[in-house]
Amino acid sequence: MSRFQVVSGKGGTGKTTVAAALALALATEGRRTLLVEVEGRQGIAQLFESDALPYEERRLAVAPGGGEVHALAIDAERALLDYLQMFYKLGSAGRALKKLGAIDFATTIAPGVRDVLLTGKACEAVRRKDKQGRFVYDHVIMDAPPTGRITRFLNVNDEVAGLARIGPIHNQAQAVMRVLKSPETAVHLVTLLEEMPVQETADGIDELRAAELPVGRVVVNMVRPHLLDEETLRTASGGRRKEIAKALTRAGVTGSAGLVRPLVEQAAEHAQRVGLEREQRTVLAGLGLPMAELPLMGEGVSLSALYELAEEFRKQGVGDETADAAGQTPRGGKRRGSGRGVAS
Ligand SMILES: Nc1ncnc2c1ncn2[C@@H]1O[C@H](COP(=O)(O)OP(=O)(O)OP(=O)(O)O)[C@@H](O)[C@H]1O
Ligand SMILES: [Mg+2]
């Protein structure tokens, strides 16, 4: 199973929510997960009703299965200091550099370098081992940039190629790409059952595949329940007002004349939406990727709703996939906690 799971999708479709629910679902299986954020929006802290995340890994939640969700808001400046420290042993010199404004140069003038730093930090967490040689995190889940930018964001190698052909930045980019293009990584795309996000998902998948980045699942979010059975749907979309009025009268509902029109209109609208959603489902099915679905939570996504969404993922076996390009069986690995013994 992919140890690095990247969650992208059209803006506002639920990337942050899905990433958090995924981390919780895996933690409920007994895994230790790290949820990372790269856009400085503090969306994760808000979801978990916690204070703003510092640039420091901290535990956010303990799941029923005993696993844990840790979180980190990756900040490009701090990641650069880490990086300088790692490659040049520039502890205090790094801080001096910051004062001189060198870091602004690296993070604002060269966006490619910024992305290498952000993805580099996430990949470092993916590969990090403890003294016993075990992975510190079973899974790293990234709340990633939206579909329109995800391929470029992850394809750091191409981005820095023009900037640094040799040297540590080049090597770092190569190491990052090795993780990103391996079956250790899966990029999930979140969508709604609407034309625009579905189209964006299809385009995003094409781009990711062209860049040889491993695509994971399509997560259909905010799915609304269907209220009517097939026959009623047909009647509703037909707008057969007289028939419905007669049925109401037969059922003993009197004084219903004024009610019929708005009822029929609502039913017709519902039927139309169901029809459109079916079309979008067909398009998504044609993408040939594993799918998962999360319901629309009526009251929005509170912390308890987030646990419910995580439970939905678990019921659907989400987290147990390998990336599509690879399609191989999970590799051997340690088990942790009360997990179901799926090798990570
Ligand atoms: N399954 C759901 N049911 C109800 N509300 C949801 C669901 N998923 C997400 N939302 C709500 O939709 C809004 C957008 O969700 P979220 O912030 O996760 O999207 P995003 O893709 O991360 O957005 P952005 O592109 O701004 O980062 C939030 O208010 C969130 O609470
Ligand atoms: Mg978000």
Side-chain angles (χ1 to χ4, degrees), residues 12 14-17 37 39 41 43 143-144:
K15 296 178 293 295
T16 304
T17 307
E37 174 168 70
E39 306 223 281
R41 304 255 307 271
D143 176 10

Side-chain angles (χ1 to χ4, degrees), residues 189-253:
L189 292 174
V190 184
T191 185
L192 308 178
L193 283 177
E194 292 169 12
E195 203 172 333
M196 292 278 286
V198 166
Q199 186 56 49
E200 210 170 284
T201 302
D203 294 345
I205 290 168
D206 286 346
E207 280 178 34
L208 287 164
R209 284 181 171 156
E212 295 173 1
L213 289 161
V215 187
R217 275 184 198 253
V218 173
V219 178
V220 185
N221 191 23
M222 304 194 213
V223 176
R224 286 178 286 186
H226 289 179
L227 306 169
L228 307 173
D229 62 34
E230 284 301 319
E231 198 189 326
T232 320
L233 267 181
R234 271 195 298 277
T235 314
S237 56
R240 284 180 282 181
R241 207 181 305 166
K242 276 190 190 138
E243 236 175 282
I244 294 170
K246 262 190 217 157
L248 280 173
T249 312
R250 265 204 309 279
V253 182

